[in-house]
């Protein structure tokens, strides 16, 4: 029988104490990076850099999250809505291939879409290169010994050390959370041993010059019209202990120094940022401080976020190996290194903190790290899982405010999305399809097979809702409610009746990037009522109804949505073979192991299908995953981890974590997911959503709060029999600490800002508690 307990305030250990006991969280290597995907990523939410630790030549790729080519455009086809009746009629007649042809001719964006110069790309800022010479070298052949390269996750500081010709050298790097500059410190333990030449370059559209002793690189990207797009500037200054510095041939030449401090300030004119003035101010402020003070303030600012959460899944005999060797050993010897999963979890948190900040852009497909001008998939924002996955871990891993840049970004899509809704559907509200950029693109993509998905805006609203669900921030709810309502207005006005079932569904649409066989043997992607759309509409309408109740507004609209929910398709339909049906019709898919598993949206991120509330649908979801298989791109593997965690199968979820941590040494390899030497996730190529999805998956294995209770250790694998975690968040603004042994909870603490009743599931049993600020059970 369930018990009601009242537990008084309980004092918890400070996180600083737990972190003090933990071994340092770090990636480390015994050689310089041979590929960019082995470099060490540093960032402060605006700037980023990736040093490679080269002994004779160091290349440090530089990034600014706002650096985009392209420009705003209106690619709406304002005649598209006139083709809508014909497209829908063809779908109803079972002529999906003909409907798709009509979509391709009349219902996609105008122009080249994401393939065009005006669409733009997130681009690398360029590279800082340092060429070193060493006294005592013979033709540059002297080898470095005792080489070590590290990234300290809990400090956001990288370093490399080595000995050459009897001199000990050290380099430290961080992207400052204090003065908003990149900082590099070079030291030698004997006087006058540092000799180097510093330059900057880029693949295109740049010029380099020296102004006094400041190195500058500047340029202007292509906007896709007159070539005069976004401007950028990077400034470099160096401070020396001993030795001399001089400009020479657009380089900075340093000779006979004992210590060199290099400061890199960079910016763009994105949204009118006064980049020339600001980069100078940042540089002046940074160079006035001592290095120790700058580093101390940087670590303190970073730690306020990073040290909110702690995880310990145990240690193993291989934990001290270099990270690339740990990865190579893990797949077949995972019991020897349980802490690699802890490191991977915290690495995801580290990358989140480093790749976004309040007031700026959300992380894109690359986070904020890119080595190229032509970034994969333009380094943009894909709305059919990728940008959403980038944000899935943030609430539960206690980095809630890092969701706010996404909310502001979505807000910027509403006005262009209203124009797109009218142009293509003659509909109310707003719509964003499957891809977008910093210029507000909401039109369908350039090809019907993937670009006609209209689930993007509804899916974004799920992420926005999660921030409210976790924080109970009433002012935030008031701020985002117009976004949610506008999205609901769109779906409400475009739903059409399926004559076979009487259900109200979207048409035309697609199940993201997937294709099916028609009865005549032909293939198509265009359809009506794909399962993901039905699930998103059901979730969105429910959230808007709840929001309007909390805000005490829009009673009539709330009632309309409630009535529509009665004729929206259910969360899932079980097909003849026992799986969740992906489309309204039980089509056969062309690729049964397709990377997208969009029809399980109801399992995650939604809470429409759960083992406890809808067991039959949960079993059908499991069969869907079995046939889909495990091996895929890294983001797909991460998504499957989340599915299996939600389905309470910890061992299968852990198997997917193992798949995520398979080594990928060749960045050109297209053979499947895994991680590169620096733990960046491999699509391939590098795509950061897999990192964030894996962190969310590990958290979901340990804590869930979507199904009417706070569920502690809902999907604990056998590999993590003993462990401890502190600082995770549950919906309702609860903070959870847990410790378990032999697979059973032995202690938990739940902290809340106010006294309230909560339902907890622990060791498979439900309990009811009333919290008085803190709840503890030992």
């Amino acid at each position: 029988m369930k018990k009601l307990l009242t537990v008084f305030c309980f004092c918890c250990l400070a996180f600083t104490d737990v972190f003090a006991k933990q071994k340092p969280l770090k990636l480390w290597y015994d050689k310089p990076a041979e590929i960019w995907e082995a470099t060490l990523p540093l960032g402060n939410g605006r700037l980023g850099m990736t040093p490679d630790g080269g002994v004779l030549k160091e290349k440090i790729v530089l990034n600014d999250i706002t650096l985009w080519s392209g420009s705003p455009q209106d690619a709406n086809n304002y005649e598209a809505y006139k083709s809508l009746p014909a497209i829908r009629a063809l779908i109803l007649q079972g002529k999906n291939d003909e409907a798709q042809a009509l979509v391709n001719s009349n219902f996609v964006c105008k122009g080249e879409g994401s393939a065009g110069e005006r669409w733009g790309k997130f681009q690398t800022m360029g590279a800082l290169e340092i060429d070193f010479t060493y006294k005592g070298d013979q033709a540059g052949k002297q080898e470095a010994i005792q080489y070590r390269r590290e990234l300290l996750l809990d400090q956001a500081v990288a370093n490399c050390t080595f000995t050459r010709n009897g001199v000990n050298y050290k380099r430290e790097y961080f992207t400052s959370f204090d003065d908003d500059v990149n900082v590099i410190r070079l030291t030698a333990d004997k006087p006058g041993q540092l000799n180097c030449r510093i330059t900057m370059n880029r693949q295109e559209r740049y010029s380099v010059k020296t102004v006094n002793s400041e190195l500058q690189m500047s340029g202007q990207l292509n906007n896709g019209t007159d070539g005069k797009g976004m401007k950028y500037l990077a400034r470099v200054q160096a401070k020396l202990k001993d030795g001399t510095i001089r400009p020479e041939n657009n380089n900075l030449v340093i000779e006979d120094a004992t210590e060199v401090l290099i400061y890199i300030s960079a910016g763009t004119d994105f949204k009118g940022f006064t980049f020339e003035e600001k980069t100078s101010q940042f540089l002046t402020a940074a160079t006035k401080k001592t290095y120790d003070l700058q580093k101390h303030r940087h670590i303190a600012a970073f730690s306020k976020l990073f040290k909110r959460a702690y995880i310990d899944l145990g240690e193993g005999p291989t934990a001290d190996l270099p990270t690339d060797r740990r990865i190579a050993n893990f797949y077949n010897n995972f019991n020897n290194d349980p802490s690699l999963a802890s490191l991977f979890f915290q690495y995801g948190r580290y990358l989140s903190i480093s790749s976004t900040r309040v007031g700026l852009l959300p992380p894109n497909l690359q986070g904020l790290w890119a080595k190229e001008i032509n970034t994969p998939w333009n380094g943009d924002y894909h709305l059919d899982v990728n940008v959403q996955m980038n944000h899935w871990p943030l609430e539960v891993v206690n980095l809630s405010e890092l969701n706010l840049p996404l909310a502001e970004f979505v807000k910027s899509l509403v006005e262009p999305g209203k124009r797109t809704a009218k142009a293509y559907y003659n509909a109310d509200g707003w719509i964003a399809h499957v891809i977008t950029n910093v210029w507000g693109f909401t039109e369908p993509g350039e090809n019907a097979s993937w670009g006609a998905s209209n689930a993007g805006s509804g899916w974004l609203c799920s992420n926005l809702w999660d921030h409210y669900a976790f924080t109970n921030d009433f002012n935030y709810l008031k701020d985002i409610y117009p976004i949610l309502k506008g999205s609901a207005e769109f779906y409400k006005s475009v739903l059409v009746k399926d004559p076979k079932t009487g259900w109200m569904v979207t048409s035309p649409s697609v199940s993201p990037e997937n294709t099916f066989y028609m009865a005549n043997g032909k293939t198509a992607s265009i359809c009506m009522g794909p399962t993901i759309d039905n699930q998103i509409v059901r979730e969105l309408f429910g959230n808007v109804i709840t929001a309007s109740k909390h805000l005490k507004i829009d009673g009539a609209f709330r009632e309309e949505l409630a009535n529509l929910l009665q004729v929206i398709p259910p969360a899932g339909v079980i097909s003849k073979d026992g799986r969740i049906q992906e489309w309204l019709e039980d089509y056969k898919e062309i690729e049964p192991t397709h990377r997208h598993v969009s029809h399980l949206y109801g399992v995650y991120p939604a809470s429409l299908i759960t083992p406890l509330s809808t067991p039959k649908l949960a079993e059908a979801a499991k069969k869907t995953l079995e046939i889909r298989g495990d091996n895929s791109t890294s983001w797909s593997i991460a998504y499957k981890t989340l599915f299996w965690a939600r389905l309470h199968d910890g061992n299968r979820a852990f198997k997917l974590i193992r798949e995520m941590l398979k080594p990928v040494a060749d960045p050109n390899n297209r053979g499947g997911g895994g991680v590169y030497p620096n733990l960046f996730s491999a699509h391939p190529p590098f795509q950061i959503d897999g990192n964030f999805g894996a962190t969310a998956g590990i958290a979901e294995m340990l804590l869930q709060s979507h199904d009417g209770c706070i569920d502690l250790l809902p999907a604990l694998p056998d590999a993590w029999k003993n462990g401890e975690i502190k600082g995770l968040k549950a919906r309702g603004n609860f903070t959870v600490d847990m410790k378990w042994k032999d697979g059973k909870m032995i202690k938990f603490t739940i902290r809340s800002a106010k006294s309230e009743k909560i339902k907890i599931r622990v060791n498979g049993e439900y309990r009811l508690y009333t919290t008085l600020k803190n709840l503890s059970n030992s």
Side-chain angles (χ1 to χ4, degrees):
M1 189 173 180
K2 297 174 184 175
K3 300 180 289 184
L4 184 65
L5 301 176
T6 302
V7 183
F8 292 92
C9 295
F10 186 82
C11 180
C12 299
L13 290 172
F15 275 11
T16 50
D17 294 339
V18 235
F19 271 96
K21 292 189 299 183
Q22 189 178 47
K23 283 188 174 182
L25 288 163
K26 63 187 175 186
L27 282 60
W28 82 272
Y29 308 85
D30 57 10
K31 59 186 176 183
E34 296 173 348
I35 55 174
W36 179 77
E37 292 80 2
T39 60
L40 302 176
L42 299 159
N44 65 4
R46 185 178 74 88
L47 299 179
M49 65 173 172
T50 49
D52 66 11
V55 174
L56 294 176
K57 185 183 188 72
E58 170 122 45
K59 181 176 182 178
I60 302 169
V61 176
L62 304 175
N63 291 108
D64 180 319
I65 198 170
T66 66
L67 186 60
W68 268 76
S69 63
S71 58
Q73 62 174 313
D74 187 345
N76 287 301
N77 176 0
Y78 287 97
E79 302 295 312
Y81 72 94
K82 295 178 181 178
S83 298
L84 195 57
I87 292 168
R88 287 171 169 168
L90 287 169
I91 294 172
L92 286 173
Q93 295 166 24
K95 300 176 181 178
N96 299 65
D97 53 338
E98 295 180 33
Q100 186 156 324
L102 189 54
V103 170
N104 271 324
S105 61
N106 294 356
F107 210 78
V108 294
C109 63
K110 292 170 64 178
E112 296 179 275
S114 62
E117 292 291 342
R118 198 160 182 184
W119 169 272
K121 297 177 174 68
F122 170 62
Q123 296 190 2
T124 179
M125 175 74 77
L128 179 86
E129 294 185 351
I130 311 174
D131 288 288
F132 293 93
T133 57
Y134 296 89
K135 294 180 179 180
D137 271 10
Q138 296 180 357
K141 295 181 180 179
Q142 179 68 36
E143 294 295 327
I145 60 173
Q146 297 177 323
Y147 185 94
R148 187 179 180 98
R149 185 168 57 97
E150 298 179 328
L151 172 61
L152 306 177
L153 297 187
D154 50 358
Q155 297 181 19
V157 174
N159 67 70
C160 78
T161 57
F162 56 89
T163 300
R164 190 179 179 95
N165 299 332
V167 181
N168 297 316
Y169 294 93
K170 183 174 183 178
R171 303 176 196 166
E172 276 193 317
Y173 323 75
F174 59 90
T175 302
S176 180
F177 277 76
D178 182 25
D179 282 323
D180 208 1
V181 295
N182 292 308
V183 182
I184 304 166
R185 185 194 194 198
L186 314 175
T187 59
D189 71 347
K190 293 182 181 179
Q193 297 296 315
L194 291 170
N195 296 273
C196 61
R197 180 180 293 267
I198 303 171
T199 189
M200 285 191 288
N201 57 64
R202 199 171 183 272
Q203 291 164 273
E204 64 177 28
R205 292 180 173 266
Y206 78 100
S207 64
V208 177
K209 66 181 180 179
T210 54
V211 180
N212 298 320
S213 290
E214 179 176 289
L215 181 65
Q216 297 180 2
M217 180 174 69
S218 60
Q220 187 169 24
L221 305 191
N222 185 5
N223 61 0
T225 55
D226 60 5
K228 297 178 181 179
M230 189 179 292
K231 296 178 180 179
Y232 68 90
L233 171 65
R235 304 175 184 264
V236 177
Q237 289 185 16
K239 291 169 60 178
L240 310 187
K241 178 182 177 182
D242 304 327
T244 62
I245 181 170
R246 70 178 189 275
E248 180 180 286
N249 298 326
N250 298 327
N251 291 214
L252 295 180
V253 178
I254 295 169
E255 294 177 337
D256 301 327
T258 305
E259 176 185 272
V260 180
L261 297 178
I262 302 171
Y263 300 90
I264 311 161
S265 183
T268 76
D269 65 351
F270 180 64
K271 291 189 174 179
F273 184 67
T274 55
F275 68 111
E276 292 171 325
E277 177 185 352
K278 291 293 186 182
T279 53
S280 180
Q281 290 175 355
F282 294 151
L283 206 51
T284 299
T287 54
K288 284 181 178 178
K289 289 187 183 134
T290 66
Y291 176 78
D292 288 342
L293 178 61
Q294 178 76 233
K295 181 180 174 184
H296 172 78
R297 293 179 62 164
H298 157 74
I299 293 172
F302 172 81
S303 296
K304 286 178 182 177
L305 293 169
F306 188 78
K307 290 196 174 181
R308 290 178 186 171
Y310 163 89
I311 185 172
D312 180 3
L313 298 174
E315 293 286 342
T318 60
D320 292 328
L321 290 175
T323 303
D324 49 346
R325 287 164 58 190
R326 288 181 74 181
I327 297 167
N329 287 339
F330 181 78
Y331 190 81
N332 293 318
N333 299 284
F334 57 87
N335 287 323
N336 289 333
D337 198 359
S339 62
L340 185 60
S342 302
L343 182 72
F344 200 40
F345 171 85
Q346 290 286 34
Y347 188 55
R349 295 182 70 248
Y350 167 86
L351 293 174
S352 289
I353 298 167
S354 301
S355 64
T356 190
R357 70 162 76 158
V358 175
L360 274 180
L361 292 168
N364 56 52
L365 286 172
Q366 303 273 137
L368 62 61
W369 297 278
K371 63 177 177 176
E372 298 138 325
I373 298 297
N374 296 310
T375 43
W377 299 280
N378 300 314
D380 62 23
Y381 298 95
H382 279 37
L383 308 183
D384 57 352
V385 68
N386 311 95
V387 74
Q388 291 90 346
M389 183 177 287
N390 282 2
H391 294 79
W392 281 344
L394 293 177
E395 298 296 335
V396 68
V397 303
N398 212 337
L399 296 172
S400 183
E401 63 268 53
L402 299 186
N403 256 324
L404 297 178
L406 179 67
E408 291 302 310
F409 185 73
V410 175
K411 196 179 295 183
S412 74
L413 299 178
V414 171
E415 287 306 314
K418 288 179 180 178
R419 294 192 293 270
T420 298
K422 286 294 182 186
Y424 290 83
Y425 306 91
N426 197 23
D428 300 328
W430 70 279
I431 172 69
H433 287 81
V434 69
I435 49 174
T436 191
N437 53 22
V438 298
W439 309 119
F441 190 95
T442 55
E443 294 89 329
E446 58 267 25
N447 190 287
S449 64
W450 54 270
S453 171
N454 56 38
S457 44
W459 198 332
L460 287 169
C461 287
S462 174
N463 283 69
L464 268 56
W465 177 261
D466 254 5
H467 183 72
Y468 173 67
F470 275 86
T471 64
N472 289 340
D473 186 334
F474 190 73
N475 289 328
Y476 169 82
L477 180 63
K478 286 195 291 185
D479 186 49
I480 66 162
Y481 178 73
I483 303 173
L484 305 183
K485 181 183 177 182
S487 183
E489 285 173 329
F490 169 78
Y491 291 111
K492 172 179 171 291
S493 65
V494 301
L495 296 177
V496 296
K497 181 179 284 189
D498 170 37
K500 294 181 181 178
T501 61
W503 290 333
M504 299 294 288
V505 297
T506 56
S507 180
S509 191
V510 300
S511 186
E513 303 183 34
N514 209 356
T515 306
F516 55 84
Y517 288 106
M518 298 165 53
N520 61 9
K522 295 181 179 180
T523 64
S525 298
I526 289 292
C527 65
M528 63 189 297
T531 296
I532 184 175
D533 285 16
N534 306 331
Q535 293 169 338
I536 284 177
V537 169
R538 178 168 288 279
E539 179 192 44
L540 175 65
F541 283 8
N543 289 341
V544 173
I545 289 169
T546 301
S548 70
K549 288 178 180 177
H550 289 184
L551 297 172
K552 298 179 181 178
I553 56 175
D554 285 338
F557 184 63
R558 181 194 319 150
E559 187 173 346
E560 288 181 70
L561 295 186
N563 290 335
L564 259 178
L565 275 175
Q566 305 305 310
V567 289
I568 299 297
V573 174
I574 300 177
S575 64
K576 294 187 293 289
D577 64 1
R579 292 183 285 164
I580 299 290
Q581 204 163 287
E582 186 165 357
W583 294 276
L584 196 63
E585 300 283 341
D586 195 6
Y587 297 121
K588 180 182 178 183
E589 67 269 61
I590 288 178
E591 184 184 356
T593 57
H594 195 274
R595 61 193 176 280
H596 282 268
V597 199
S598 302
H599 45 313
L600 296 194
Y601 178 95
V603 177
Y604 189 98
S607 54
L608 302 172
I609 299 173
T610 75
L612 301 175
S613 300
T614 59
K616 289 184 179 178
L617 287 176
E619 287 302 313
K622 289 180 182 179
K623 186 163 186 180
T624 300
L625 289 169
E626 292 287 0
I627 291 177
R628 231 20 166 223
D630 292 340
N631 188 42
S632 190
T633 63
S634 282
W635 69 258
S636 179
I637 295 171
Y639 203 171
K640 292 166 187 173
T641 304
L642 284 153
F643 289 141
W644 283 111
R646 280 278 177 99
L647 295 170
H648 294 176
D649 191 333
N651 286 333
R652 188 60 179 269
F654 179 75
K655 181 179 182 294
L656 273 298
I657 295 294
R658 287 175 61 204
E659 296 294 332
M660 273 292 298
L661 285 167
K662 287 189 303 189
V664 179
D666 181 0
N668 299 311
N669 171 37
R670 305 287 170 147
V675 291
Y676 295 110
N678 66 358
L679 286 178
F680 270 170
S681 71
H683 183 282
F686 163 57
Q687 196 170 289
I688 204 167
D689 41 19
N691 289 102
F692 296 138
T695 293
I698 292 169
E700 204 73 17
M701 294 163 73
L702 301 174
L703 176 69
Q704 296 177 17
S705 59
H706 62 286
D707 197 17
C709 70
I710 296 176
D711 199 345
L712 308 180
L713 304 182
L716 187 70
D718 294 340
W720 301 343
K721 290 185 183 297
N722 305 310
E724 181 178 16
I725 194 158
K726 290 178 177 284
L728 291 191
K729 300 290 286 191
R731 288 166 181 81
N733 200 19
F734 297 100
T735 306
V736 181
D737 305 341
M738 301 181 271
K739 190 171 186 177
W740 63 96
K741 185 176 182 180
D742 296 326
K744 296 291 184 181
M745 186 71 66
I746 58 173
K747 180 179 180 180
F748 66 86
T749 301
I750 299 177
R751 286 163 282 149
S752 175
K754 61 181 182 179
S755 174
E756 55 188 304
K757 293 181 180 179
I758 57 173
K759 184 179 181 181
I760 296 173
R761 185 171 176 264
V762 57
N763 293 332
E765 297 179 357
Y766 289 104
R767 304 179 190 177
L768 289 177
Y769 290 100
T770 298
T771 67
L772 292 180
K773 294 274 182 77
N774 289 280
L775 184 157
S776 177
N777 183 288
S778 301

